[in-house]
Amino acid sequence: MKSSLLGLLSFGLLLVSPSVFSEVVDHPTEIIVAFKKGASFEKASLTSYKSFNELAVGTEERGALYKLELPQTLISSQYIDDLNKREDILWAEANPVFIGDPRESTPNDPEFSKQYHHKIIQSEKAWDISTGVAEVIVAATDDGFKLDHEDLSGIYYKNDGEIEGNGIDDDENGYIDDVIGWNFNEGTNNPDVAGYHGGHGTHVAGIIGADFNNGLGVVGHGTKIKVMPLKFYGTKSWTGEMILKTYKYAADNGAKIITTSYNIDGMSAKKIYQEAVAYAYNKGLIVFNSAGNGNAEQSARTKNTQILLVASTQSGKDLKKHDLRSRFSNYGYGVDVAAPGNPIYSTSKSGKYVDMSGTSMAAPNAAGVAALIWSVHPDYTREQVLATLMRNSTDVDPLNKKYKHKLGNGRIDSFKALSGKPKAPTVRRAWYADGNKTLNIHIQGILNPKSLTRGGIILENSKGDLLEGSLKSLNKYEIGTNILRFKVQAGSGSYRVRMNPKAFRGPFGLELDGDQDGEAGGEFVLDFEIR
């Protein structure tokens, strides 16, 4: 079985249809190892491996991260078990490999000739305010990019610290001649289109930042947006190691936003994927990912609260369908925002233009608007950018009643984001689940984690007595945390929860709009019964 899987991995499995077969498997000979803080590879005296290389340096939580390659004669699962029993190793797991096609888009008829999504999100009115002030780099992680497309040649990020073609790592970032991005799939400095690949990435790049006012084709979201083309899917199998290297490169080389339009459900529980996201998150980046095209509720990727998931809404010629949830789009409380994604007209690898549909198209639209906000307000923090994006989105729940509260904070709106004043976070809904004794509070907008203090939320009994220590927080707040969960430790009876608005401030310092009157301040109160 091991030899046959190795053969498939070397071939790349690129001819497999995702609708027929798609899963994440363990690489039979590659292992990712994380050392505990203070431990090191040199002191570990590991044996039996064929080769090794360091993937990431140590952090406050762990030591360095390594990839080990084992000989085919070794049983990797037993080796992993032995590693996980060691005192100096935090965790070890096989390098995850995606089998199938993780791209989340569907090519459509190319006769559509207008970008309806810009009309829906009021881009023209936003550009009357500003098309951008400061440069913002968006890292597009994809299958390749047509670097010489007539409408894209001026929008790609260029590494000025590197001299092209001299074979030297001039800026000493670990990559030789990385003038325009990098190819992490094939290990070269060329992220251009090749063979069957590049159509997806070229389309995404055009959505984000196609050239303005050049008399050609389409347009992106702002004049100061640069796309960092990072190819991590191609002729070789797509692995967790590739994702980690790609995200690290983006975070270390100036990107403020990463947009990924790939199926990460199988990857999301893997520690190396979580390391990749955490690296970017801890460096202050925003990571957008497509919500998925499976028409599924609460897919596996919703468990990662350091990324922002983008659902797809209808665009196109039929104005009556605008803002309806795309039939293929995933949904759920874990979705953060919605954006037009069906269809979207953008650049193609042929050098022309084409419509494509999918949450793959929705994610770069959200990333593009976030980049425009950050460009106009370069002093904003990540949390302030997201608060502006989320709280100025358009409520599409009335058009999608079956999916109420399950399409994120609403559908993005460029004009509202640039023209609206900062808004306080608020509570969308709250409920007590008697089955698992949990209190659930669905937040709209972004909270400032530093404002969250003990005593900010309290539980009272029917007599109004404060029950100290009766609420235990079940989740850590991060930018993708949409629901605050608390374990309720109390017996049967009637209870009231109170949220102090001062303890739940947004990133602009505004207190929680607890009474939901559209203004900052006001206590949120919920009465419920425990049976």
Side-chain angles (χ1 to χ4, degrees), residues 47-103:
T47 60
S48 302
Y49 61 85
K50 184 179 177 181
S51 64
F52 72 92
N53 67 292
E54 187 178 62
L55 298 180
V57 298
T59 67
E60 293 183 0
E61 292 79 27
R62 59 155 176 78
L65 206 64
Y66 284 85
K67 184 184 81 170
L68 302 184
E69 185 175 353
L70 306 179
Q72 295 185 35
T73 54
L74 200 64
I75 300 175
S76 57
S77 58
Q78 181 61 56
Y79 195 84
I80 291 172
D81 289 342
D82 292 342
L83 289 176
N84 279 317
K85 292 175 183 177
R86 292 177 58 116
E87 291 294 325
D88 56 349
I89 288 177
L90 184 63
W91 58 262
E93 69 175 18
N95 188 14
V97 182
F98 193 98
I99 303 299
D101 189 339
R103 294 169 290 187

Side-chain angles (χ1 to χ4, degrees), residues 388-406:
T388 303
L389 178 74
M390 305 269 190
R391 290 296 282 127
N392 289 289
S393 292
T394 296
D395 182 11
V396 294
D397 281 354
L399 295 173
N400 299 276
K401 294 180 180 179
K402 184 178 177 181
Y403 306 97
K404 187 175 182 180
H405 303 313
K406 297 180 181 181

Side-chain angles (χ1 to χ4, degrees), residues 454-455 457-461 465-471 489:
R454 292 190 65 181
I457 181 168
I458 61 173
L459 184 68
E460 299 174 344
N461 62 19
D465 299 327
L466 175 63
L467 304 179
E468 292 189 16
S470 57
L471 293 176
Q489 299 170 322

Side-chain angles (χ1 to χ4, degrees), residues 50-166:
K50 184 179 177 181
S51 64
F52 72 92
N53 67 292
E54 187 178 62
L55 298 180
V57 298
T59 67
E60 293 183 0
E61 292 79 27
R62 59 155 176 78
L65 206 64
Y66 284 85
K67 184 184 81 170
L68 302 184
E69 185 175 353
L70 306 179
Q72 295 185 35
T73 54
L74 200 64
I75 300 175
S76 57
S77 58
Q78 181 61 56
Y79 195 84
I80 291 172
D81 289 342
D82 292 342
L83 289 176
N84 279 317
K85 292 175 183 177
R86 292 177 58 116
E87 291 294 325
D88 56 349
I89 288 177
L90 184 63
W91 58 262
E93 69 175 18
N95 188 14
V97 182
F98 193 98
I99 303 299
D101 189 339
R103 294 169 290 187
E104 295 186 317
S105 65
T106 304
N108 228 330
D109 195 307
E111 68 184 27
F112 292 103
S113 60
K114 295 181 180 179
Q115 293 180 285
Y116 295 95
H117 62 285
H118 280 312
K119 296 184 180 299
I120 294 172
I121 66 175
Q122 304 191 86
S123 294
E124 297 98 326
K125 292 174 70 175
W127 296 329
D128 286 340
I129 298 172
S130 178
T131 59
V133 176
E135 182 177 286
V136 174
I137 300 171
V138 179
T141 62
D142 223 296
D143 67 344
F145 308 84
K146 187 165 180 58
L147 300 181
D148 62 354
H149 192 290
E150 64 178 8
D151 219 2
L152 299 178
S153 59
I155 65 106
Y156 290 115
Y157 150 86
K158 184 176 182 180
N159 180 5
D160 292 328
E162 199 75 10
I163 299 173
E164 186 172 3
N166 69 352

Side-chain angles (χ1 to χ4, degrees), residues 88 90 106 164 171 217 220 253 262 266 280 298 314 326-327 341 346 405 422 453 467 473 479 486 513:
D88 56 349
L90 184 63
T106 304
E164 186 172 3
D171 58 1
N253 289 277
Y262 279 61
Q298 288 298 98
Q314 288 282 120
S326 301
R327 288 184 296 176
S346 184
H405 303 313
T453 58
L467 304 179
S473 178
I479 59 173
F486 300 87
D513 176 13

